[in-house]
């Protein structure tokens, strides 16, 4: 948004193909494959924009506040020798508004919106495609990694208060904002940015590989559902502890847990789906950390810390086994490396632009 404008005469079809073709191919293949898989279940994939309004309503106000804060720093704190008015004029004249509003944002967010709708359709069908069967394997694997102890016992021993549980619940809520904020940041970058393509491509593949394929292959429900599904009392002490704290703090996440379960067992309740491995909260948290680290290291470190909190919170709240988060982090990191290398190769030809140096490369050079 704050970069030097590219003349519209140089925004060619070749540039748009380079910026979007790999991502839209992934989206098309994902859509067609899911249609085939969901055929026997008579599940529809709808792309109505009205369905996205609740999420936008929730995330837009804090995102605009953040962007206005960054813009204030850009215009009035880092303005250098310019006056405040000159800085504003320079920003207005230097921003490619037409390209931004007509090409970058619509084409970029079309991918994110379509991914969301396809994933929402396929996730509830995961246990129908492959019944939950991996929970006990992940329980044993967690105990092997943590010397015979369930990881939640460690987090609750170190952070025993209901306030700590409420904190992790709030961090989980912030995750949605962080994901969309970083996605928006990537979308408004220059079309010739290597990091932009790498993020959009890895973001799309994350939901295909992690959220769909791996989730179906390693079908599991997570600690809070183990007793309901298998009659296994392993995590009853955790759920009892959370229920006792809820009597004081009234945690929103416990209501979400119950709503997801009702969607699983009651045909009258819209199903949103239950899936534990891999943790997409951790997968996406690690992905946005990798992306932001490649753009600005300080921002990357902030999101690395955020991912660490999500990892602890996912265990503390009973959503996931520790290996769900570890698997998500590894998957995101490997996918980011592959997509970044592909993007560098794909964008290597300077094409119609004078330079295809990415934003992060220009920043490091400066």
């Amino acid at each position: 948004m704050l970069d030097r404008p590219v003349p519209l005469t140089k925004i060619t079809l070749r540039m748009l193909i380079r910026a979007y073709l790999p991502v839209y191919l992934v989206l098309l293949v994902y859509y067609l494959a899911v249609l085939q898989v969901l055929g026997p279940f008579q599940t529809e994939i709808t792309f109505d924009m009205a369905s996205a309004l609740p999420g936008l309503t929730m995330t837009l106000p804090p995102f605009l506040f953040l962007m206005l804060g960054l813009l204030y720093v850009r215009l009035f704190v880092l303005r250098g020798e310019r006056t405040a008015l000159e800085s504003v004029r320079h920003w207005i004249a230097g921003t490619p508004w037409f390209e931004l509003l007509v090409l970058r944002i619509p084409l970029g967010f079309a991918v994110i919106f379509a991914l969301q709708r396809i994933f929402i359709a396929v996730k509830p069908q995961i246990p129908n495609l492959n019944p939950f069967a991996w929970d006990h394997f992940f329980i044993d694997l967690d105990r092997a990694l943590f010397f015979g102890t369930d990881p939640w016992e460690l987090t609750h021993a170190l952070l025993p208060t209901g306030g700590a549980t409420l904190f992790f619940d709030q961090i989980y809520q912030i995750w949605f904002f962080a994901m969309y904020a970083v996605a928006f940041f990537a979308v408004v970058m220059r079309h010739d940015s290597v990091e932009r393509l790498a993020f959009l491509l890895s973001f799309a593949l994350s939901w295909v590989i992690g959220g769909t394929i791996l989730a179906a292959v390693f079908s599991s429900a997570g600690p809070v559902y183990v007793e309901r599904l298998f009659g296994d009392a392993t995590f009853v002490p955790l759920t009892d502890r959370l229920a006792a704290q809820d009597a004081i703090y009234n945690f929103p996440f416990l209501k979400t847990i119950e709503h997801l379960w009702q969607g699983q067992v009651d045909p009258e309740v819209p199903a949103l789906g239950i899936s534990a491995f891999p943790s997409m909260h951790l997968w996406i948290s690690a992905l946005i950390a990798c992306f932001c680290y490649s753009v600005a290291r300080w921002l990357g470190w902030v999101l690395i810390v955020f991912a660490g909190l999500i990892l602890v919170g996912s265990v503390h709240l009973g959503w996931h086994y520790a290996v769900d988060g570890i698997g998500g982090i590894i998957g995101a990191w490997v996918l980011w490396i592959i997509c970044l290398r592909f993007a560098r190769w794909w964008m290597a030809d300077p094409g119609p632009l004078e330079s295809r140096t990415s934003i992060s490369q220009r920043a490091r050079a400066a």
Side-chain angles (χ1 to χ4, degrees), residues 211-231:
T212 304
I213 297 175
L214 293 180
V217 171
F218 299 100
S219 182
S220 53
V224 292
Y225 298 115
V226 165
E227 183 188 19
R228 306 190 197 201
L229 285 169
F230 309 109

Side-chain angles (χ1 to χ4, degrees), residues 5-86:
V6 177
L8 291 180
T9 55
K10 292 189 176 181
I11 303 173
T12 64
L13 179 61
R14 183 178 182 183
M15 180 202 293
L16 293 177
I17 289 175
R18 283 185 172 273
Y20 291 107
L21 180 60
V23 183
Y24 272 90
L25 283 177
V26 169
L27 182 63
L28 177 62
V29 172
Y30 186 36
Y31 175 68
L32 294 176
V34 168
L35 281 181
Q36 290 296 317
V37 171
L38 296 184
F41 305 107
Q42 298 181 339
T43 301
E44 295 183 359
I45 303 175
T46 59
F47 296 98
D48 56 302
M49 288 299 297
S51 63
L53 290 179
L56 287 175
T57 303
M58 179 183 68
T59 59
L60 191 58
F63 175 73
L64 289 176
F65 179 80
L66 174 63
M67 293 301 294
L68 289 173
L70 294 175
L71 184 60
Y72 175 82
V73 172
R74 171 85 176 190
L75 297 181
F76 301 108
V77 179
L78 304 177
R79 65 174 185 258
E81 299 297 326
R82 299 189 186 97
T83 65
L85 183 58
E86 288 174 341

Side-chain angles (χ1 to χ4, degrees), residues 5 8 22 43 46 72 81 90 96 116 158 175 179 187 204 214 222 236 247 278 352:
L8 291 180
T43 301
T46 59
Y72 175 82
E81 299 297 326
H90 179 78
Q116 179 192 53
L158 295 171
W175 177 84
M179 175 180 67
V187 163
L214 293 180
V236 168

Side-chain angles (χ1 to χ4, degrees), residues 123-128 130-132 219 221 225 228-229 257-275:
K123 185 180 179 182
Q125 302 301 336
I126 286 176
N128 295 325
N130 186 20
F132 298 126
S219 182
Y225 298 115
R228 306 190 197 201
L229 285 169
I257 287 172
E258 187 61 32
H259 180 70
L260 292 179
W261 177 253
Q262 290 304 316
Q264 195 70 29
V265 299
D266 187 350
E268 300 299 321
V269 178
L272 298 178
I274 295 172
S275 179

Side-chain angles (χ1 to χ4, degrees), residues 33-176:
V34 168
L35 281 181
Q36 290 296 317
V37 171
L38 296 184
F41 305 107
Q42 298 181 339
T43 301
E44 295 183 359
I45 303 175
T46 59
F47 296 98
D48 56 302
M49 288 299 297
S51 63
L53 290 179
L56 287 175
T57 303
M58 179 183 68
T59 59
L60 191 58
F63 175 73
L64 289 176
F65 179 80
L66 174 63
M67 293 301 294
L68 289 173
L70 294 175
L71 184 60
Y72 175 82
V73 172
R74 171 85 176 190
L75 297 181
F76 301 108
V77 179
L78 304 177
R79 65 174 185 258
E81 299 297 326
R82 299 189 186 97
T83 65
L85 183 58
E86 288 174 341
S87 183
V88 172
R89 288 175 177 172
H90 179 78
W91 171 68
I92 293 175
T95 299
W97 296 105
F98 179 83
E99 178 194 346
L100 192 69
L101 298 176
V102 176
L103 298 178
R104 296 190 198 180
I105 293 177
L107 292 176
F109 263 104
V111 174
I112 296 170
F113 172 72
L115 282 169
Q116 179 192 53
R117 303 314 303 168
I118 298 171
F119 179 71
I120 286 175
V122 73
K123 185 180 179 182
Q125 302 301 336
I126 286 176
N128 295 325
L129 296 169
N130 186 20
F132 298 126
W134 285 83
D135 284 87
H136 289 96
F137 174 81
F138 293 135
I139 292 171
D140 293 339
L141 186 54
D142 262 7
R143 289 174 177 171
L145 291 174
F146 289 88
F147 306 100
T149 303
D150 289 322
W152 75 265
E153 296 178 336
L154 298 176
T155 68
H156 278 267
L158 295 171
L159 302 164
T161 67
T165 303
L166 182 62
F167 170 77
F168 286 120
D169 188 15
Q170 295 303 312
I171 289 293
Y172 246 66
Q173 302 301 321
I174 292 173
W175 177 84
F176 291 96

